[in-house]
Each structure stands twice: as C-alpha cells, then as structure tokens.
Amino acid sequence: MSTFSHLNVGGEANMVDVSDKDVTKREATAEGYLYVSDNVITQISEAKIAKGDVFAVARVAGIQGAKRCSDLIPLCHPLALSKVDVNFEIEPAQSRIRATCFCKLSGKTGVEMEALTGVNVALLTLFDMCKAIDPAMRLDGIKVLEKKGGKTGYWTSQ
C-alpha cells in the first residue's frame, strides 16, 4: 500500500517536493455534466438567457479556475499552464450540458487538479447564469478522463 504523499512523517499536511522530478510534457482532461430542464436547453440554444452568452462566460471562468487552482486547493503547486481549453456540448436527450477542460504544460507535476477545477468552475458559472430559470439543476459525473506525462505515462478512465 502506498503512503499519502501530502503528509510528513509526523502526519502533518505537507506540500510535496517536486524539485528532483524531471520536466515532462503533462496533459489532463476532465469532464462534468450540468443536468438542466428542457427550458434551460431551449433558452441556451436560442441565445435567450438574460445574462448573455453563457458558454462564452463559462469558458473564460473555467480557464481562470484552472489557472487559479493552487489558490483554491491547499498543497497544490502553482503551475505555469501553457494551454487550457474548455468546451461545452448540449445533450438534449439526456437533459444535460457536458463540459470538458483540457490542461497542458511542461513541468514537474501533473495537471489533473487544474482540469478538475476548470470544469467545476465552468459548470458552476453555467449554474449561476441559469439558476433563475431552473434552480433544481445539478452537477454530476465530474472526473478525470485521461492524463499523460510524468513517470506514470498515460492513464485513462475508460
């Protein structure tokens, strides 16, 4: 069984020292869903949300969220992301909106937390912009889809 890397020998919270790790290209993609009413799907599709272009605003929010991950999650390393890409897909048959967040850098630690933070902030922004229409929306299915780089190489949830 592996030990928790974020605890020191005394069991106290500890930021992992990555200074001896190799710099490699690292990527991660996360996804999540916002389950919404048919009315929300219709109003987004017809660009009738009173607060404006919900995907444009949520995309910028998701990018900012990924970039600010270390400010929000204790013990995460601040990373110089070279790419963040946030996308949305309306899935009317499932009454949901799918969001993905892709993060990339050349560095000493992975970008899974940044991708997860980006997708969560994007979905929360969609929720905020649509809550007057459907306060019963819910977030679900948030996970890392795949990651690349570092000593573990490639990993996928499929």
Side-chain angles (χ1 to χ4, degrees):
M1 181 175 176
S2 64
T3 60
F4 291 111
S5 61
H6 285 77
L7 300 176
N8 66 16
V9 292
E12 302 161 327
N14 176 55
M15 186 177 204
V16 174
D17 182 358
V18 297
S19 57
D20 292 333
K21 291 175 106 179
D22 292 331
V23 172
T24 63
K25 184 170 97 173
R26 295 165 184 266
E27 302 175 359
T29 303
E31 75 172 352
Y33 297 91
L34 181 64
Y35 286 83
V36 300
S37 67
D38 292 341
N39 191 19
V40 169
I41 288 175
T42 299
Q43 289 199 39
I44 289 174
S45 298
E46 296 175 1
K48 291 184 177 178
I49 301 292
K51 292 186 177 184
D53 184 343
V54 296
F55 291 149
V57 175
R59 181 172 288 110
V60 172
I63 292 167
Q64 287 179 317
K67 291 169 56 176
R68 301 288 306 267
C69 178
S70 67
D71 293 335
L72 301 169
I73 309 295
L75 309 179
C76 279
H77 294 84
L79 302 178
L81 297 171
S82 58
K83 177 68 177 168
V84 179
D85 192 23
V86 176
N87 289 292
F88 304 97
E89 179 182 352
I90 298 173
E91 299 179 345
Q94 293 84 16
S95 298
R96 67 186 186 186
I97 299 166
R98 179 179 187 248
T100 59
C101 181
F102 168 80
C103 294
K104 178 179 175 181
L105 61 65
S106 291
K108 296 183 175 206
T109 189
V111 291
E112 301 93 330
M113 293 308 300
E114 288 70 18
L116 286 166
T117 302
V119 84
N120 273 284
V121 172
L123 290 170
L124 289 168
T125 301
L126 288 177
F127 189 105
D128 181 53
M129 295 186 77
C130 300
K131 68 185 179 216
I133 301 162
D134 181 8
M137 294 177 291
R138 67 179 169 87
L139 281 69
D140 201 357
I142 297 165
K143 67 180 182 178
V144 175
L145 291 176
E146 68 177 15
K147 66 180 212 122
K148 299 176 185 176
K151 68 178 183 180
T152 56
Y154 179 76
W155 178 89
T156 182
S157 67
Q158 271 71 26

